[in-house]
Amino acid sequence: MSVEYTKKDVSDFWNEASCGESLYLEHSNKEGFESHSQIRYKLEPYILPFADFEKAKNKKVLEIGVGLGADHQKFAEAGAELTGIDLTERAVAYTKHRLKLQGLQSNLGQGDAENLSFPNNTFDVVYSWGVLHHSPDTPKAVLEVLRVLKPGGVAKVMIYHKYSMVGVMLWIRYALLKFKPFLSLNYIYAQYLESPGTKAYTINEAKELFSKFKKVNIKTVLTHGDLLTSHAGQKHQGLFLSLARLIWPRWFIRYFLKDNGLFMLIEAHK
Ligand SMILES: C[S@@+](CC[C@H](N)C(=O)[O-])C[C@H]1O[C@@H](n2cnc3c(N)ncnc32)[C@H](O)[C@@H]1O
């Protein structure tokens, strides 16, 4: 079963609440944003070595899909020559406000990953965490990343990994327990993970997506979602989750299924 989703479906979803807003942002003041960052890097510690914010000093960096702006703030603090876009007004407003409170600079505006408004060969680094799989034409967005990178530049992109424990959980909840075991993982991610039409990729599909880059490194990480060690996201609450939290075999997953995490970290060189 396949369903078509539009970019408006995606922006409507993220305009209701930016990523993490309802769970991790109590106040949009300095303390509120500080606390949001603390929670974020505690839950997702692998962001720090992957993004390597300090290395961005004096580099031209584009972040696609800034969301609440925690990573954007880190790039600004590191001294990057910074540009950021997001599909939604809400995320741009949050990130502008967040940086202003800290006296930090970035060229921020609404924009679409699939149609970047920047000339070819502009940026040293293009960074995008958990964004491109939400856009209806992800391959087009990846080609745009390649286009705006300078030769020798690097793209650091996180997209979702298909064979993940989160995928297993969603499939049990929305396919097996509803007596619809024929529903595909692609359909389940598109319907039930986050914004309508969200996609997840196998390693080989990700290699294909980034095949026009010169050199590509891909690794997956187990997330707090795969291990059920946190709130499960703004769409997921209820009895099934409470039960799953009690019986989830975390040590088994950590030991035997460590390659089945939801996040796929891709470093691609132009
Ligand atoms: C899951 S959030 C991630 C936000 C942030 N990077 C983070 O890690 O918290 C996804 C973000 O991608 C943005 N987004 C989705 N499609 C986009 C597109 N085509 N162009 C730019 N931003 C997009 C959404 O508006 C949303 O803010």
Side-chain angles (χ1 to χ4, degrees):
M1 198 180 320
S2 89
V3 187
E4 288 290 308
Y5 302 93
T6 65
K7 213 166 283 166
K8 184 168 179 315
D9 296 328
V10 178
S11 70
D12 285 351
F13 180 89
W14 295 112
N15 255 328
E16 289 237 325
S18 288
C19 188
E21 177 181 339
S22 45
L23 291 173
Y24 303 122
L25 187 72
E26 268 188 57
H27 306 286
S28 44
N29 56 18
K30 226 173 166 174
E31 292 71 34
F33 286 122
E34 187 50 44
S35 154
H36 169 251
S37 292
Q38 273 177 17
I39 298 168
R40 178 178 179 83
Y41 300 119
K42 193 167 173 207
L43 283 176
E44 301 179 11
Y46 31 76
I47 293 178
L48 299 169
F50 178 68
D52 207 358
F53 297 107
E54 285 73 28
K55 254 205 190 142
K57 188 174 165 65
N58 298 328
K59 296 219 171 112
K60 287 191 83 166
V61 176
L62 168 66
E63 180 175 1
I64 300 175
V66 292
L68 290 178
D71 296 351
H72 211 64
Q73 180 179 338
K74 286 266 184 207
F75 277 119
E77 285 169 345
E81 204 182 307
L82 194 54
T83 302
I85 63 155
D86 198 284
L87 195 58
T88 63
E89 237 171 87
R90 190 181 190 96
V92 172
Y94 265 125
T95 303
K96 277 188 176 164
H97 180 53
R98 181 179 200 131
L99 265 63
K100 191 167 174 211
L101 288 171
Q102 303 286 346
L104 295 166
Q105 300 294 324
S106 173
N107 171 23
L108 276 156
Q110 249 181 295
D112 176 5
E114 292 177 25
N115 299 287
L116 296 175
S117 62
F118 311 106
N120 297 352
N121 309 325
T122 303
F123 298 100
D124 300 296
V125 178
V126 176
Y127 175 80
S128 189
W129 185 266
V131 175
L132 302 186
H133 47 224
H134 295 304
S135 210
D137 193 344
T138 302
K140 189 169 180 212
V142 173
L143 286 179
E144 277 295 83
V145 170
L146 180 67
R147 182 182 68 75
V148 302
L149 267 178
K150 291 178 186 170
V154 62
K156 295 186 180 207
V157 172
M158 185 276 275
I159 54 176
Y160 291 152
H161 176 218
K162 185 167 171 180
Y163 298 126
S164 72
M165 296 314 297
V166 166
V168 169
M169 233 179 299
L170 291 173
W171 186 81
I172 293 174
R173 167 77 176 79
Y174 294 104
L176 196 63
L177 294 180
K178 292 196 168 193
F179 305 105
K180 295 178 183 169
F182 51 84
L183 289 178
S184 71
L185 263 180
N186 286 348
Y187 177 83
I188 295 286
Y189 281 116
Q191 287 284 331
Y192 300 110
L193 184 53
E194 288 173 316
S195 55
T198 297
K199 286 162 258 122
Y201 294 88
T202 63
I203 304 254
N204 279 338
E205 285 167 347
K207 280 185 184 159
E208 179 60 33
L209 260 184
F210 285 83
S211 59
K212 294 225 157 58
F213 285 75
K214 262 194 192 141
K215 192 177 129 206
V216 182
N217 297 318
I218 301 181
K219 68 169 193 171
T220 60
V221 287
L222 273 178
T223 69
H224 52 97
D226 297 296
L227 292 165
L228 276 184
T229 49
S230 65
H231 297 290
Q234 53 213 56
K235 236 171 141 172
H236 305 282
Q237 318 285 334
L239 185 65
F240 171 80
L241 253 183
S242 309
L243 284 177
R245 258 197 197 97
L246 287 177
I247 57 166
W248 205 236
R250 293 181 184 85
W251 70 266
F252 184 87
I253 294 169
R254 279 200 178 96
Y255 200 75
F256 292 108
L257 298 168
K258 59 182 181 328
D259 295 330
N260 293 90
L262 181 65
F263 289 1
M264 197 190 281
L265 276 45
I266 300 170
E267 197 177 285
H269 297 258
K270 180 169 174 176

